[in-house]
Amino acid sequence: MRTVRTVAELRATLAPERAAGRSVGLVPTMGFFHEGHLSLMRAARGENDVVVVSLFVNPTQFGPGEDLDAYPRDEQRDAALAEAEGVDLLFAPAPEEVYPDGFATQVAVTGLTDVLDGDPARRGASHFNGVTTVVCKLLNMVAPDAAYFGQKDAQQALVVTRMARDLDFPARIEVRPTVREPDGLAMSSRNAYLDAGERERAVALSRALTAADSVVSAGERGGDAVLAAARAELVAAGIEPEYLELRSATDLSPVERVNGTTLLAVAAHVGRARLIDNIVLGGTRT
Ligand code: AMP
């Protein structure tokens, strides 16, 4: 595996591959790899001739007061894990390479970014503008045949899919299931912030989703009852969610009654970690 830090090196490395007709898969990440990241690398490895992983803690998707400086980083460990997955190229640019002096462009998806993590009363759409701008740039830099994202960040996956469609990116946007710890906690680089007690409480997020799934499987369709089942698990762990909402899994419109494509999404602070998780109710558990 090679590590490159500039767009020029990245393009020079990929040009002969593309000229030889080889397909390229991209896995965009902010590093500090866990099984969720590795599962995306495996998916990319299985479907492409060349696998590129980007490692970039993107400053523009962090709000003021968020954890940009504290975000866990370990490039050496990440490089070893990526190499073990058969990744060909690690693209790890410095912030100045991605955002040179005078950078003035934003890519914004409207509508989908106004709710949940983009609610103006919470983080606002600027988080997603940071995401779509950097993903747009990465798609232009790498020009992959496919790019791989996790359902863990369900809203991000929808926003990126919409952006790629609206802006006619030729890349397929592939969304893969959430990878969980054995007790159900969704894997996240931010789980590194949790101390032992917080780690125990954090599992309440996935328990809440499972509880909702159980009442739906038992026939309940009323949104209030489904949310109450989920909320009870959070309350039992002393967790007040930032949001706990039922939304259409395809366009994030509000949902009163559960049907096959209903997303239950949760965000909560546990200690200093802001954790998110979700489940598609009535569908496949991911
Ligand atoms: P991040 O480094 O947190 O920005 O995540 C990079 C990619 O990995 C994103 O597409 C995430 O949705 C995905 N990802 C993060 N956690 C998980 C997980 N537990 N399971 C599957 N994918 C994940």
PDB file of all heavy atoms in Angstrom, residues 152 178 180 184 186 203-216 226-227 229-231 233-234 243-246 263-267 276-281 285-286:
ATOM      1  N   LYS A 152     -24.588   3.591   9.271  1.00  0.00           N
ATOM      2  CA  LYS A 152     -24.454   4.213  10.594  1.00  0.00           C
ATOM      3  C   LYS A 152     -24.783   5.704  10.523  1.00  0.00           C
ATOM      4  O   LYS A 152     -25.425   6.256  11.399  1.00  0.00           O
ATOM      5  CB  LYS A 152     -23.035   3.982  11.087  1.00  0.00           C
ATOM      6  CG  LYS A 152     -22.519   4.921  12.149  1.00  0.00           C
ATOM      7  CD  LYS A 152     -23.027   4.552  13.490  1.00  0.00           C
ATOM      8  CE  LYS A 152     -22.400   5.345  14.627  1.00  0.00           C
ATOM      9  NZ  LYS A 152     -21.725   6.560  14.274  1.00  0.00           N
ATOM     10  N   THR A 178     -24.522  -1.050   9.182  1.00  0.00           N
ATOM     11  CA  THR A 178     -23.816  -0.627  10.402  1.00  0.00           C
ATOM     12  C   THR A 178     -23.157  -1.833  11.064  1.00  0.00           C
ATOM     13  O   THR A 178     -23.809  -2.863  11.251  1.00  0.00           O
ATOM     14  CB  THR A 178     -24.815   0.008  11.379  1.00  0.00           C
ATOM     15  OG1 THR A 178     -25.437   1.112  10.730  1.00  0.00           O
ATOM     16  CG2 THR A 178     -24.114   0.486  12.654  1.00  0.00           C
ATOM     17  N   ARG A 180     -21.577  -3.386  14.454  1.00  0.00           N
ATOM     18  CA  ARG A 180     -21.810  -3.173  15.880  1.00  0.00           C
ATOM     19  C   ARG A 180     -20.858  -3.983  16.744  1.00  0.00           C
ATOM     20  O   ARG A 180     -20.357  -5.025  16.317  1.00  0.00           O
ATOM     21  CB  ARG A 180     -23.261  -3.567  16.225  1.00  0.00           C
ATOM     22  CG  ARG A 180     -24.264  -2.707  15.506  1.00  0.00           C
ATOM     23  CD  ARG A 180     -25.712  -3.131  15.727  1.00  0.00           C
ATOM     24  NE  ARG A 180     -26.565  -2.210  14.981  1.00  0.00           N
ATOM     25  CZ  ARG A 180     -26.885  -0.981  15.382  1.00  0.00           C
ATOM     26  NH1 ARG A 180     -26.464  -0.549  16.548  1.00  0.00           N
ATOM     27  NH2 ARG A 180     -27.630  -0.201  14.624  1.00  0.00           N
ATOM     28  N   GLY A 184     -24.125  -4.623  20.795  1.00  0.00           N
ATOM     29  CA  GLY A 184     -25.047  -3.826  19.986  1.00  0.00           C
ATOM     30  C   GLY A 184     -24.595  -2.400  19.732  1.00  0.00           C
ATOM     31  O   GLY A 184     -25.077  -1.748  18.807  1.00  0.00           O
ATOM     32  N   ALA A 186     -23.154   0.668  18.211  1.00  0.00           N
ATOM     33  CA  ALA A 186     -22.628   0.922  16.866  1.00  0.00           C
ATOM     34  C   ALA A 186     -21.181   1.370  16.978  1.00  0.00           C
ATOM     35  O   ALA A 186     -20.841   2.228  17.803  1.00  0.00           O
ATOM     36  CB  ALA A 186     -23.460   2.002  16.187  1.00  0.00           C
ATOM     37  N   VAL A 203     -24.717   1.708  25.387  1.00  0.00           N
ATOM     38  CA  VAL A 203     -25.404   0.617  24.691  1.00  0.00           C
ATOM     39  C   VAL A 203     -26.923   0.845  24.690  1.00  0.00           C
ATOM     40  O   VAL A 203     -27.656   0.242  23.888  1.00  0.00           O
ATOM     41  CB  VAL A 203     -25.021  -0.752  25.308  1.00  0.00           C
ATOM     42  CG1 VAL A 203     -25.689  -0.954  26.647  1.00  0.00           C
ATOM     43  CG2 VAL A 203     -25.349  -1.894  24.354  1.00  0.00           C
ATOM     44  N   ALA A 204     -27.393   1.759  25.545  1.00  0.00           N
ATOM     45  CA  ALA A 204     -28.834   2.060  25.581  1.00  0.00           C
ATOM     46  C   ALA A 204     -29.333   2.598  24.236  1.00  0.00           C
ATOM     47  O   ALA A 204     -30.511   2.433  23.898  1.00  0.00           O
ATOM     48  CB  ALA A 204     -29.142   3.058  26.695  1.00  0.00           C
ATOM     49  N   LEU A 205     -28.451   3.238  23.446  1.00  0.00           N
ATOM     50  CA  LEU A 205     -28.911   3.748  22.139  1.00  0.00           C
ATOM     51  C   LEU A 205     -29.362   2.585  21.250  1.00  0.00           C
ATOM     52  O   LEU A 205     -30.459   2.611  20.690  1.00  0.00           O
ATOM     53  CB  LEU A 205     -27.808   4.550  21.432  1.00  0.00           C
ATOM     54  CG  LEU A 205     -27.752   6.044  21.741  1.00  0.00           C
ATOM     55  CD1 LEU A 205     -27.183   6.290  23.130  1.00  0.00           C
ATOM     56  CD2 LEU A 205     -26.925   6.791  20.695  1.00  0.00           C
ATOM     57  N   SER A 206     -28.514   1.572  21.130  1.00  0.00           N
ATOM     58  CA  SER A 206     -28.905   0.449  20.270  1.00  0.00           C
ATOM     59  C   SER A 206     -30.028  -0.358  20.916  1.00  0.00           C
ATOM     60  O   SER A 206     -30.898  -0.895  20.215  1.00  0.00           O
ATOM     61  CB  SER A 206     -27.702  -0.438  19.933  1.00  0.00           C
ATOM     62  OG  SER A 206     -27.288  -1.167  21.046  1.00  0.00           O
ATOM     63  N   ARG A 207     -30.045  -0.418  22.268  1.00  0.00           N
ATOM     64  CA  ARG A 207     -31.165  -1.098  22.944  1.00  0.00           C
ATOM     65  C   ARG A 207     -32.484  -0.395  22.636  1.00  0.00           C
ATOM     66  O   ARG A 207     -33.516  -1.037  22.468  1.00  0.00           O
ATOM     67  CB  ARG A 207     -30.959  -1.094  24.455  1.00  0.00           C
ATOM     68  CG  ARG A 207     -30.140  -2.234  24.918  1.00  0.00           C
ATOM     69  CD  ARG A 207     -30.586  -2.657  26.322  1.00  0.00           C
ATOM     70  NE  ARG A 207     -29.432  -3.232  26.956  1.00  0.00           N
ATOM     71  CZ  ARG A 207     -28.748  -2.670  27.942  1.00  0.00           C
ATOM     72  NH1 ARG A 207     -29.159  -1.553  28.504  1.00  0.00           N
ATOM     73  NH2 ARG A 207     -27.684  -3.239  28.407  1.00  0.00           N
ATOM     74  N   ALA A 208     -32.445   0.915  22.589  1.00  0.00           N
ATOM     75  CA  ALA A 208     -33.655   1.679  22.284  1.00  0.00           C
ATOM     76  C   ALA A 208     -34.169   1.327  20.883  1.00  0.00           C
ATOM     77  O   ALA A 208     -35.373   1.132  20.676  1.00  0.00           O
ATOM     78  CB  ALA A 208     -33.362   3.180  22.383  1.00  0.00           C
ATOM     79  N   LEU A 209     -33.234   1.213  19.941  1.00  0.00           N
ATOM     80  CA  LEU A 209     -33.631   0.880  18.567  1.00  0.00           C
ATOM     81  C   LEU A 209     -34.190  -0.537  18.497  1.00  0.00           C
ATOM     82  O   LEU A 209     -35.187  -0.798  17.805  1.00  0.00           O
ATOM     83  CB  LEU A 209     -32.428   1.023  17.627  1.00  0.00           C
ATOM     84  CG  LEU A 209     -31.737   2.390  17.624  1.00  0.00           C
ATOM     85  CD1 LEU A 209     -30.522   2.369  16.692  1.00  0.00           C
ATOM     86  CD2 LEU A 209     -32.710   3.489  17.195  1.00  0.00           C
ATOM     87  N   THR A 210     -33.553  -1.447  19.230  1.00  0.00           N
ATOM     88  CA  THR A 210     -34.010  -2.842  19.236  1.00  0.00           C
ATOM     89  C   THR A 210     -35.380  -2.952  19.889  1.00  0.00           C
ATOM     90  O   THR A 210     -36.238  -3.721  19.429  1.00  0.00           O
ATOM     91  CB  THR A 210     -32.992  -3.720  19.994  1.00  0.00           C
ATOM     92  OG1 THR A 210     -31.701  -3.464  19.456  1.00  0.00           O
ATOM     93  CG2 THR A 210     -33.300  -5.194  19.840  1.00  0.00           C
ATOM     94  N   ALA A 211     -35.592  -2.172  20.963  1.00  0.00           N
ATOM     95  CA  ALA A 211     -36.898  -2.199  21.637  1.00  0.00           C
ATOM     96  C   ALA A 211     -37.990  -1.725  20.687  1.00  0.00           C
ATOM     97  O   ALA A 211     -39.079  -2.316  20.616  1.00  0.00           O
ATOM     98  CB  ALA A 211     -36.852  -1.318  22.889  1.00  0.00           C
ATOM     99  N   ALA A 212     -37.696  -0.674  19.939  1.00  0.00           N
ATOM    100  CA  ALA A 212     -38.670  -0.175  18.962  1.00  0.00           C
ATOM    101  C   ALA A 212     -38.939  -1.234  17.893  1.00  0.00           C
ATOM    102  O   ALA A 212     -40.092  -1.474  17.506  1.00  0.00           O
ATOM    103  CB  ALA A 212     -38.146   1.108  18.325  1.00  0.00           C
ATOM    104  N   ASP A 213     -37.879  -1.876  17.446  1.00  0.00           N
ATOM    105  CA  ASP A 213     -38.010  -2.906  16.418  1.00  0.00           C
ATOM    106  C   ASP A 213     -38.888  -4.053  16.924  1.00  0.00           C
ATOM    107  O   ASP A 213     -39.705  -4.598  16.177  1.00  0.00           O
ATOM    108  CB  ASP A 213     -36.614  -3.408  16.038  1.00  0.00           C
ATOM    109  CG  ASP A 213     -36.608  -4.161  14.733  1.00  0.00           C
ATOM    110  OD1 ASP A 213     -37.334  -3.749  13.807  1.00  0.00           O
ATOM    111  OD2 ASP A 213     -35.894  -5.169  14.632  1.00  0.00           O
ATOM    112  N   SER A 214     -38.728  -4.385  18.215  1.00  0.00           N
ATOM    113  CA  SER A 214     -39.509  -5.486  18.789  1.00  0.00           C
ATOM    114  C   SER A 214     -40.992  -5.155  18.816  1.00  0.00           C
ATOM    115  O   SER A 214     -41.825  -6.000  18.474  1.00  0.00           O
ATOM    116  CB  SER A 214     -39.053  -5.794  20.217  1.00  0.00           C
ATOM    117  OG  SER A 214     -37.731  -6.218  20.208  1.00  0.00           O
ATOM    118  N   VAL A 215     -41.331  -3.933  19.235  1.00  0.00           N
ATOM    119  CA  VAL A 215     -42.765  -3.616  19.289  1.00  0.00           C
ATOM    120  C   VAL A 215     -43.351  -3.539  17.876  1.00  0.00           C
ATOM    121  O   VAL A 215     -44.505  -3.904  17.656  1.00  0.00           O
ATOM    122  CB  VAL A 215     -43.093  -2.338  20.112  1.00  0.00           C
ATOM    123  CG1 VAL A 215     -42.675  -2.498  21.564  1.00  0.00           C
ATOM    124  CG2 VAL A 215     -42.531  -1.091  19.510  1.00  0.00           C
ATOM    125  N   VAL A 216     -42.535  -3.113  16.912  1.00  0.00           N
ATOM    126  CA  VAL A 216     -43.024  -3.091  15.518  1.00  0.00           C
ATOM    127  C   VAL A 216     -43.225  -4.533  15.028  1.00  0.00           C
ATOM    128  O   VAL A 216     -44.233  -4.845  14.397  1.00  0.00           O
ATOM    129  CB  VAL A 216     -42.045  -2.309  14.606  1.00  0.00           C
ATOM    130  CG1 VAL A 216     -42.397  -2.504  13.134  1.00  0.00           C
ATOM    131  CG2 VAL A 216     -42.061  -0.823  14.972  1.00  0.00           C
ATOM    132  N   VAL A 226     -44.198   3.485  19.446  1.00  0.00           N
ATOM    133  CA  VAL A 226     -42.874   2.987  19.051  1.00  0.00           C
ATOM    134  C   VAL A 226     -41.788   3.858  19.689  1.00  0.00           C
ATOM    135  O   VAL A 226     -40.800   3.356  20.249  1.00  0.00           O
ATOM    136  CB  VAL A 226     -42.743   2.975  17.508  1.00  0.00           C
ATOM    137  CG1 VAL A 226     -41.311   2.656  17.085  1.00  0.00           C
ATOM    138  CG2 VAL A 226     -43.724   1.971  16.903  1.00  0.00           C
ATOM    139  N   LEU A 227     -41.988   5.171  19.642  1.00  0.00           N
ATOM    140  CA  LEU A 227     -41.008   6.081  20.245  1.00  0.00           C
ATOM    141  C   LEU A 227     -40.939   5.895  21.756  1.00  0.00           C
ATOM    142  O   LEU A 227     -39.862   5.973  22.355  1.00  0.00           O
ATOM    143  CB  LEU A 227     -41.355   7.540  19.909  1.00  0.00           C
ATOM    144  CG  LEU A 227     -41.132   7.929  18.447  1.00  0.00           C
ATOM    145  CD1 LEU A 227     -41.675   9.332  18.180  1.00  0.00           C
ATOM    146  CD2 LEU A 227     -39.654   7.852  18.076  1.00  0.00           C
ATOM    147  N   ALA A 229     -41.414   3.152  23.442  1.00  0.00           N
ATOM    148  CA  ALA A 229     -40.647   1.930  23.736  1.00  0.00           C
ATOM    149  C   ALA A 229     -39.154   2.221  23.658  1.00  0.00           C
ATOM    150  O   ALA A 229     -38.363   1.745  24.492  1.00  0.00           O
ATOM    151  CB  ALA A 229     -41.026   0.826  22.746  1.00  0.00           C
ATOM    152  N   ALA A 230     -38.764   3.008  22.671  1.00  0.00           N
ATOM    153  CA  ALA A 230     -37.343   3.348  22.520  1.00  0.00           C
ATOM    154  C   ALA A 230     -36.892   4.267  23.650  1.00  0.00           C
ATOM    155  O   ALA A 230     -35.843   4.052  24.276  1.00  0.00           O
ATOM    156  CB  ALA A 230     -37.109   4.019  21.163  1.00  0.00           C
ATOM    157  N   ARG A 231     -37.719   5.282  23.927  1.00  0.00           N
ATOM    158  CA  ARG A 231     -37.342   6.281  24.936  1.00  0.00           C
ATOM    159  C   ARG A 231     -37.132   5.634  26.309  1.00  0.00           C
ATOM    160  O   ARG A 231     -36.242   6.037  27.068  1.00  0.00           O
ATOM    161  CB  ARG A 231     -38.419   7.370  25.015  1.00  0.00           C
ATOM    162  CG  ARG A 231     -38.099   8.505  25.967  1.00  0.00           C
ATOM    163  CD  ARG A 231     -39.110   9.630  25.856  1.00  0.00           C
ATOM    164  NE  ARG A 231     -38.946  10.394  24.628  1.00  0.00           N
ATOM    165  CZ  ARG A 231     -38.058  11.391  24.486  1.00  0.00           C
ATOM    166  NH1 ARG A 231     -37.285  11.725  25.497  1.00  0.00           N
ATOM    167  NH2 ARG A 231     -37.960  12.036  23.353  1.00  0.00           N
ATOM    168  N   GLU A 233     -35.825   2.870  27.128  1.00  0.00           N
ATOM    169  CA  GLU A 233     -34.463   2.323  27.267  1.00  0.00           C
ATOM    170  C   GLU A 233     -33.456   3.438  27.544  1.00  0.00           C
ATOM    171  O   GLU A 233     -32.512   3.260  28.315  1.00  0.00           O
ATOM    172  CB  GLU A 233     -34.051   1.580  25.988  1.00  0.00           C
ATOM    173  CG  GLU A 233     -34.864   0.335  25.705  1.00  0.00           C
ATOM    174  CD  GLU A 233     -34.573  -0.778  26.716  1.00  0.00           C
ATOM    175  OE1 GLU A 233     -33.489  -0.779  27.350  1.00  0.00           O
ATOM    176  OE2 GLU A 233     -35.442  -1.651  26.888  1.00  0.00           O
ATOM    177  N   LEU A 234     -33.663   4.579  26.911  1.00  0.00           N
ATOM    178  CA  LEU A 234     -32.738   5.702  27.126  1.00  0.00           C
ATOM    179  C   LEU A 234     -32.890   6.246  28.541  1.00  0.00           C
ATOM    180  O   LEU A 234     -31.904   6.495  29.236  1.00  0.00           O
ATOM    181  CB  LEU A 234     -33.003   6.803  26.083  1.00  0.00           C
ATOM    182  CG  LEU A 234     -32.768   6.388  24.627  1.00  0.00           C
ATOM    183  CD1 LEU A 234     -33.237   7.488  23.684  1.00  0.00           C
ATOM    184  CD2 LEU A 234     -31.291   6.067  24.387  1.00  0.00           C
ATOM    185  N   TYR A 243     -32.124  13.982  19.835  1.00  0.00           N
ATOM    186  CA  TYR A 243     -33.341  13.703  19.078  1.00  0.00           C
ATOM    187  C   TYR A 243     -33.592  12.203  19.067  1.00  0.00           C
ATOM    188  O   TYR A 243     -32.665  11.402  19.236  1.00  0.00           O
ATOM    189  CB  TYR A 243     -33.312  14.263  17.645  1.00  0.00           C
ATOM    190  CG  TYR A 243     -32.225  13.717  16.737  1.00  0.00           C
ATOM    191  CD1 TYR A 243     -32.260  12.423  16.243  1.00  0.00           C
ATOM    192  CD2 TYR A 243     -31.169  14.536  16.347  1.00  0.00           C
ATOM    193  CE1 TYR A 243     -31.288  11.941  15.389  1.00  0.00           C
ATOM    194  CE2 TYR A 243     -30.180  14.063  15.503  1.00  0.00           C
ATOM    195  CZ  TYR A 243     -30.239  12.780  15.031  1.00  0.00           C
ATOM    196  OH  TYR A 243     -29.255  12.299  14.196  1.00  0.00           O
ATOM    197  N   LEU A 244     -34.864  11.849  18.924  1.00  0.00           N
ATOM    198  CA  LEU A 244     -35.280  10.451  18.754  1.00  0.00           C
ATOM    199  C   LEU A 244     -36.498  10.561  17.851  1.00  0.00           C
ATOM    200  O   LEU A 244     -37.561  10.996  18.283  1.00  0.00           O
ATOM    201  CB  LEU A 244     -35.650   9.831  20.107  1.00  0.00           C
ATOM    202  CG  LEU A 244     -36.217   8.407  20.068  1.00  0.00           C
ATOM    203  CD1 LEU A 244     -35.137   7.395  19.672  1.00  0.00           C
ATOM    204  CD2 LEU A 244     -36.808   8.016  21.427  1.00  0.00           C
ATOM    205  N   GLU A 245     -36.328  10.250  16.566  1.00  0.00           N
ATOM    206  CA  GLU A 245     -37.380  10.584  15.603  1.00  0.00           C
ATOM    207  C   GLU A 245     -37.599   9.477  14.582  1.00  0.00           C
ATOM    208  O   GLU A 245     -36.661   8.779  14.191  1.00  0.00           O
ATOM    209  CB  GLU A 245     -37.006  11.879  14.841  1.00  0.00           C
ATOM    210  CG  GLU A 245     -36.997  13.099  15.729  1.00  0.00           C
ATOM    211  CD  GLU A 245     -36.650  14.383  14.965  1.00  0.00           C
ATOM    212  OE1 GLU A 245     -36.802  14.402  13.718  1.00  0.00           O
ATOM    213  OE2 GLU A 245     -36.218  15.346  15.619  1.00  0.00           O
ATOM    214  N   LEU A 246     -38.866   9.385  14.147  1.00  0.00           N
ATOM    215  CA  LEU A 246     -39.246   8.490  13.057  1.00  0.00           C
ATOM    216  C   LEU A 246     -39.336   9.307  11.781  1.00  0.00           C
ATOM    217  O   LEU A 246     -40.026  10.342  11.746  1.00  0.00           O
ATOM    218  CB  LEU A 246     -40.614   7.865  13.344  1.00  0.00           C
ATOM    219  CG  LEU A 246     -40.659   6.831  14.468  1.00  0.00           C
ATOM    220  CD1 LEU A 246     -42.113   6.543  14.852  1.00  0.00           C
ATOM    221  CD2 LEU A 246     -39.945   5.551  14.051  1.00  0.00           C
ATOM    222  N   LEU A 263     -37.258   5.068   9.153  1.00  0.00           N
ATOM    223  CA  LEU A 263     -36.005   5.192   9.888  1.00  0.00           C
ATOM    224  C   LEU A 263     -36.296   5.698  11.298  1.00  0.00           C
ATOM    225  O   LEU A 263     -37.019   6.684  11.470  1.00  0.00           O
ATOM    226  CB  LEU A 263     -35.115   6.208   9.162  1.00  0.00           C
ATOM    227  CG  LEU A 263     -33.691   6.395   9.684  1.00  0.00           C
ATOM    228  CD1 LEU A 263     -32.816   5.224   9.262  1.00  0.00           C
ATOM    229  CD2 LEU A 263     -33.110   7.707   9.152  1.00  0.00           C
ATOM    230  N   LEU A 264     -35.749   5.000  12.284  1.00  0.00           N
ATOM    231  CA  LEU A 264     -35.752   5.534  13.649  1.00  0.00           C
ATOM    232  C   LEU A 264     -34.325   5.975  13.924  1.00  0.00           C
ATOM    233  O   LEU A 264     -33.392   5.159  13.887  1.00  0.00           O
ATOM    234  CB  LEU A 264     -36.199   4.461  14.651  1.00  0.00           C
ATOM    235  CG  LEU A 264     -36.104   4.859  16.129  1.00  0.00           C
ATOM    236  CD1 LEU A 264     -36.927   6.109  16.445  1.00  0.00           C
ATOM    237  CD2 LEU A 264     -36.542   3.700  17.023  1.00  0.00           C
ATOM    238  N   ALA A 265     -34.154   7.278  14.154  1.00  0.00           N
ATOM    239  CA  ALA A 265     -32.804   7.831  14.322  1.00  0.00           C
ATOM    240  C   ALA A 265     -32.680   8.452  15.705  1.00  0.00           C
ATOM    241  O   ALA A 265     -33.613   9.096  16.193  1.00  0.00           O
ATOM    242  CB  ALA A 265     -32.530   8.886  13.257  1.00  0.00           C
ATOM    243  N   VAL A 266     -31.518   8.271  16.309  1.00  0.00           N
ATOM    244  CA  VAL A 266     -31.280   8.805  17.656  1.00  0.00           C
ATOM    245  C   VAL A 266     -29.903   9.468  17.711  1.00  0.00           C
ATOM    246  O   VAL A 266     -28.963   9.023  17.044  1.00  0.00           O
ATOM    247  CB  VAL A 266     -31.403   7.684  18.726  1.00  0.00           C
ATOM    248  CG1 VAL A 266     -30.349   6.602  18.536  1.00  0.00           C
ATOM    249  CG2 VAL A 266     -31.329   8.250  20.139  1.00  0.00           C
ATOM    250  N   ALA A 267     -29.844  10.555  18.470  1.00  0.00           N
ATOM    251  CA  ALA A 267     -28.558  11.191  18.796  1.00  0.00           C
ATOM    252  C   ALA A 267     -28.597  11.515  20.279  1.00  0.00           C
ATOM    253  O   ALA A 267     -29.633  11.943  20.793  1.00  0.00           O
ATOM    254  CB  ALA A 267     -28.351  12.470  17.988  1.00  0.00           C
ATOM    255  N   ILE A 276     -24.541   8.813  17.543  1.00  0.00           N
ATOM    256  CA  ILE A 276     -25.758   8.661  16.751  1.00  0.00           C
ATOM    257  C   ILE A 276     -25.922   7.195  16.375  1.00  0.00           C
ATOM    258  O   ILE A 276     -24.949   6.429  16.326  1.00  0.00           O
ATOM    259  CB  ILE A 276     -25.767   9.535  15.464  1.00  0.00           C
ATOM    260  CG1 ILE A 276     -24.605   9.174  14.534  1.00  0.00           C
ATOM    261  CG2 ILE A 276     -25.736  11.007  15.822  1.00  0.00           C
ATOM    262  CD1 ILE A 276     -24.694   9.866  13.169  1.00  0.00           C
ATOM    263  N   ASP A 277     -27.173   6.822  16.125  1.00  0.00           N
ATOM    264  CA  ASP A 277     -27.456   5.454  15.681  1.00  0.00           C
ATOM    265  C   ASP A 277     -28.820   5.472  14.998  1.00  0.00           C
ATOM    266  O   ASP A 277     -29.577   6.458  15.103  1.00  0.00           O
ATOM    267  CB  ASP A 277     -27.455   4.493  16.878  1.00  0.00           C
ATOM    268  CG  ASP A 277     -27.232   3.029  16.472  1.00  0.00           C
ATOM    269  OD1 ASP A 277     -27.245   2.738  15.260  1.00  0.00           O
ATOM    270  OD2 ASP A 277     -27.070   2.188  17.378  1.00  0.00           O
ATOM    271  N   ASN A 278     -29.137   4.410  14.292  1.00  0.00           N
ATOM    272  CA  ASN A 278     -30.428   4.346  13.607  1.00  0.00           C
ATOM    273  C   ASN A 278     -30.751   2.914  13.239  1.00  0.00           C
ATOM    274  O   ASN A 278     -29.879   2.047  13.234  1.00  0.00           O
ATOM    275  CB  ASN A 278     -30.408   5.216  12.336  1.00  0.00           C
ATOM    276  CG  ASN A 278     -29.501   4.634  11.271  1.00  0.00           C
ATOM    277  OD1 ASN A 278     -29.890   3.757  10.502  1.00  0.00           O
ATOM    278  ND2 ASN A 278     -28.239   5.084  11.259  1.00  0.00           N
ATOM    279  N   ILE A 279     -32.028   2.706  12.936  1.00  0.00           N
ATOM    280  CA  ILE A 279     -32.481   1.396  12.451  1.00  0.00           C
ATOM    281  C   ILE A 279     -33.605   1.643  11.449  1.00  0.00           C
ATOM    282  O   ILE A 279     -34.350   2.629  11.573  1.00  0.00           O
ATOM    283  CB  ILE A 279     -32.977   0.526  13.636  1.00  0.00           C
ATOM    284  CG1 ILE A 279     -33.285  -0.898  13.183  1.00  0.00           C
ATOM    285  CG2 ILE A 279     -34.212   1.145  14.295  1.00  0.00           C
ATOM    286  CD1 ILE A 279     -33.580  -1.850  14.350  1.00  0.00           C
ATOM    287  N   VAL A 280     -33.686   0.783  10.434  1.00  0.00           N
ATOM    288  CA  VAL A 280     -34.846   0.823   9.554  1.00  0.00           C
ATOM    289  C   VAL A 280     -35.851  -0.174  10.117  1.00  0.00           C
ATOM    290  O   VAL A 280     -35.583  -1.376  10.162  1.00  0.00           O
ATOM    291  CB  VAL A 280     -34.466   0.495   8.098  1.00  0.00           C
ATOM    292  CG1 VAL A 280     -35.718   0.488   7.215  1.00  0.00           C
ATOM    293  CG2 VAL A 280     -33.455   1.515   7.577  1.00  0.00           C
ATOM    294  N   LEU A 281     -36.970   0.351  10.591  1.00  0.00           N
ATOM    295  CA  LEU A 281     -37.967  -0.487  11.266  1.00  0.00           C
ATOM    296  C   LEU A 281     -38.768  -1.280  10.239  1.00  0.00           C
ATOM    297  O   LEU A 281     -39.066  -0.790   9.148  1.00  0.00           O
ATOM    298  CB  LEU A 281     -38.905   0.382  12.091  1.00  0.00           C
ATOM    299  CG  LEU A 281     -38.238   1.085  13.263  1.00  0.00           C
ATOM    300  CD1 LEU A 281     -39.199   2.101  13.865  1.00  0.00           C
ATOM    301  CD2 LEU A 281     -37.795   0.072  14.314  1.00  0.00           C
ATOM    302  N   ARG A 285     -32.430  -5.604   9.995  1.00  0.00           N
ATOM    303  CA  ARG A 285     -31.684  -4.981  11.079  1.00  0.00           C
ATOM    304  C   ARG A 285     -30.260  -4.710  10.608  1.00  0.00           C
ATOM    305  O   ARG A 285     -29.547  -5.627  10.218  1.00  0.00           O
ATOM    306  CB  ARG A 285     -31.669  -5.910  12.281  1.00  0.00           C
ATOM    307  CG  ARG A 285     -30.803  -5.420  13.448  1.00  0.00           C
ATOM    308  CD  ARG A 285     -31.668  -4.793  14.505  1.00  0.00           C
ATOM    309  NE  ARG A 285     -30.935  -4.627  15.765  1.00  0.00           N
ATOM    310  CZ  ARG A 285     -30.402  -3.468  16.147  1.00  0.00           C
ATOM    311  NH1 ARG A 285     -30.460  -2.423  15.364  1.00  0.00           N
ATOM    312  NH2 ARG A 285     -29.808  -3.376  17.312  1.00  0.00           N
ATOM    313  N   THR A 286     -29.834  -3.430  10.650  1.00  0.00           N
ATOM    314  CA  THR A 286     -28.430  -3.128  10.336  1.00  0.00           C
ATOM    315  C   THR A 286     -27.878  -2.230  11.418  1.00  0.00           C
ATOM    316  O   THR A 286     -28.610  -1.646  12.179  1.00  0.00           O
ATOM    317  CB  THR A 286     -28.260  -2.426   8.991  1.00  0.00           C
ATOM    318  OG1 THR A 286     -28.918  -1.174   9.039  1.00  0.00           O
ATOM    319  CG2 THR A 286     -28.749  -3.271   7.846  1.00  0.00           C
TER     320      THR A 286
END
